[in-house]
Amino acid sequence: MPFPRTPGTLAAALALLAALGGAAATAPAAGADAGTAPAAPASRAAADLREVMFVGNNWDGTADVIESRGEFRRIGRVNVIPDRDERMREIHLDPIRLAYFLGVRSGPGEGHDQFVDDMYATPDGSAMVVSRPSFADVVSIDLRTGRVNWRFPVSGYRSDHMAVSPDGTRVAVSASTANTVHVLDIVTGRQLGSFTTGDKPHENVFTSDGLLWNMSIGEVTTALDAPWLDWTKGDRKITVVDAATLRTVRVTDMRDRLDAFGRGDLSDAVRPLVFTPDEKKLYFQVSFFNGFLEYDIATDRITRLKTLPANPATSTDRTTWVNDSRHHGLSMSPDGTKLCVAGTMDDYATVVDRATLQEGPLVETSKPYWATVSGDGRSCVVSESGADRVSAIEFATGRRVASVSVGDHPQRVRIAHVPADWTGPAAG
């Protein structure tokens, strides 16, 4: 797959950042822009809402809204960078911000700006809350008008994965260059608190026992990808906090668990993970590995490993694998019997039986970057970032049952709710 890391460009950007002073990466965030946080909107009856899926088109700066089941048809599109000109003026007036902006473009952006990483709906379906890596912020976009309700600049210079609390009122966002997770009020954008993580916080997950999990993945944009150079990737760990107080409950370094399991050769950078319905086990992917591992939470140990087929066409040069990903995307059927794996660099997705760990058909997909579950629970939905489409793969058969075209380089896909009569912003 021709997705080179462009090491020369990246090295130049990193050198520029070093010259400007890396300490600036941990600068504290400002609050929400003055005057932009609206009063909380009136609640909307659940009957007036429609279940959909948000698809973030990272390089486009748009989010497609599609049906959450059936044919997965596209309903509308939201421009998530309506303030692009203003943000770019600010960036060009600040040499340090400009250096990081260009670093995001040449590194994790693969030569493109990253305008949408993650997105969720507010509980009343009136707005879409979006993390925008290249702009290092989170914004709320009014789904009726397409305008920005509020904006929260994160600490440092890049925002990343988000998660929404079970009651839908709080959103957690990773500030990847500041090793911080911010927790915001989803309606007003006001910061409710934050906590410190390992290097490069990535995915966030709320669990039903009142905890918030963050996985830090370390440095993924360097070309120091040989296994013996793994120590250069930074401090990677799982940080678990009390979701109410944001106080750390425990910190888990998978290095020790991998070593005890006999796989000291594997990276301890935990990428996407998924919990079983009872939240007693979790399954996780790690950098550079075509497969996943099973972890028992109560005993604090890795219990099983599944290696999935390697695509013979995939380069063995690890520096060509995007952001250290081999497989990136994992979901589970609602009954907990099937796993769905996005084999990013191997160009397939597959459904795996959780009891036997036997994979089903390898469904050809183009650089699948994420996996989630359809609204009816029948299908795994993967974003094909290399083909600009979303595909649904049935859990029961492991076969593709639908595909829909979306924008440029789709990544995160999330279940959401919008007004029942919504077809797109009036202004966009």
Side-chain angles (χ1 to χ4, degrees):
M1 291 175 60
F3 296 105
R5 193 73 63 76
T6 59
T9 304
L10 177 56
L14 292 175
L16 177 58
L17 296 181
L20 290 169
T26 58
D33 284 355
T36 62
S43 61
R44 183 184 298 273
D48 294 333
L49 296 179
R50 177 183 187 181
E51 184 187 78
V52 296
M53 281 183 158
F54 289 166
V55 181
N57 304 311
N58 196 12
W59 297 349
D60 249 4
T62 63
D64 282 311
V65 181
I66 66 174
E67 295 174 336
S68 66
R69 60 190 73 195
E71 297 181 14
F72 298 88
R73 290 173 295 196
R74 190 162 71 90
I75 298 165
R77 175 170 288 178
V78 180
N79 173 18
V80 303
I81 50 171
D83 56 338
R84 177 176 183 169
D85 290 346
E86 181 181 359
R87 302 282 79 82
M88 292 305 299
R89 280 194 298 271
E90 293 172 350
I91 289 168
H92 281 98
L93 289 172
D94 185 332
I96 296 176
R97 287 187 63 186
L98 178 59
Y100 274 92
F101 178 86
L102 295 175
V104 170
R105 177 185 291 174
S106 65
E110 305 170 63
H112 301 263
D113 297 323
Q114 291 192 310
F115 288 132
V116 48
D117 186 275
D118 217 341
M119 72 257 106
Y120 288 92
T122 53
D124 66 354
S126 68
M128 174 187 289
V129 177
V130 186
S131 61
R132 307 187 300 183
S134 288
F135 290 161
D137 64 11
V138 181
V139 293
S140 170
I141 306 290
D142 187 293
L143 286 172
R144 291 292 190 188
T145 68
R147 298 189 181 97
V148 175
N149 291 321
W150 55 257
R151 173 175 180 259
F152 181 87
V154 302
S155 296
Y157 297 97
R158 186 177 182 274
S159 54
D160 200 51
H161 284 245
M162 299 197 299
V164 166
S165 59
D167 64 2
T169 63
R170 293 164 293 150
V171 59
V173 58
S174 290
S176 58
T177 68
N179 299 347
T180 297
V181 171
H182 300 282
V183 179
L184 313 177
D185 182 294
I186 200 170
V187 173
T188 68
R190 181 174 64 90
Q191 179 170 258
L192 303 175
S194 65
F195 61 94
T196 302
T197 68
D199 291 337
K200 298 296 191 297
H202 192 54
E203 190 172 13
N204 297 289
V205 180
F206 283 92
T207 49
S208 63
D209 55 359
L211 300 177
L212 171 56
W213 296 56
N214 174 266
M215 282 53 69
S216 61
I217 61 172
E219 181 55 66
V220 298
T221 59
T222 71
L224 304 177
D225 293 344
W228 70 274
L229 291 171
D230 188 67
W231 60 273
T232 67
K233 297 294 186 175
D235 181 20
R236 294 153 295 180
K237 56 192 177 187
I238 299 174
T239 303
V240 184
V241 302
D242 183 296
T245 66
L246 302 186
R247 293 176 181 168
T248 300
V249 174
R250 63 178 174 272
V251 175
T252 301
D253 184 346
M254 280 296 178
R255 175 76 281 135
D256 296 338
R257 283 77 179 166
L258 286 163
D259 291 348
F261 187 69
R263 292 306 303 262
D265 59 312
L266 292 180
S267 168
D268 61 350
V270 176
R271 309 306 288 263
L273 61 74
V274 62
F275 288 83
T276 54
D278 61 9
E279 296 179 350
K280 292 182 178 180
K281 294 182 185 292
L282 63 82
Y283 295 81
F284 66 96
Q285 296 163 315
V286 296
S287 292
F288 305 116
F289 180 52
N290 51 308
F292 58 87
L293 298 104
E294 177 186 78
Y295 173 75
D296 184 274
I297 297 170
T299 62
D300 187 24
R301 65 188 186 93
I302 294 170
T303 47
R304 292 193 294 173
L305 173 146
K306 173 63 177 180
T307 301
L308 285 163
N311 186 337
T314 299
S315 171
T316 57
D317 179 359
R318 287 157 62 116
T319 66
T320 65
W321 300 351
V322 177
N323 299 325
D324 293 356
S325 299
R326 181 71 187 261
H327 287 186
H328 189 281
L330 199 59
S331 65
M332 185 178 293
S333 59
D335 64 4
T337 63
K338 301 289 181 63
L339 288 157
C340 177
V341 183
T344 310
M345 299 311 300
D346 290 295
D347 283 341
Y348 68 75
T350 189
V351 172
V352 177
D353 183 276
R354 191 165 75 87
T356 65
L357 296 188
Q358 177 61 50
E359 73 271 15
L362 303 185
V363 180
E364 183 178 352
T365 51
S366 181
K367 196 184 167 195
Y369 219 105
W370 194 248
T372 190
V373 179
S374 62
D376 59 11
R378 296 178 60 183
S379 299
C380 164
V381 179
V382 297
S383 57
E384 296 191 55
S385 61
D388 298 340
R389 68 181 180 185
V390 169
S391 288
I393 298 168
E394 195 173 52
F395 280 114
T397 65
R399 305 288 182 182
R400 190 195 323 261
V401 292
S403 287
V404 59
S405 296
V406 292
D408 193 8
H409 206 266
Q411 290 189 201
R412 224 66 62 228
V413 182
R414 301 291 190 188
I415 288 283
H417 292 84
V418 300
D421 62 349
W422 188 88
T423 56

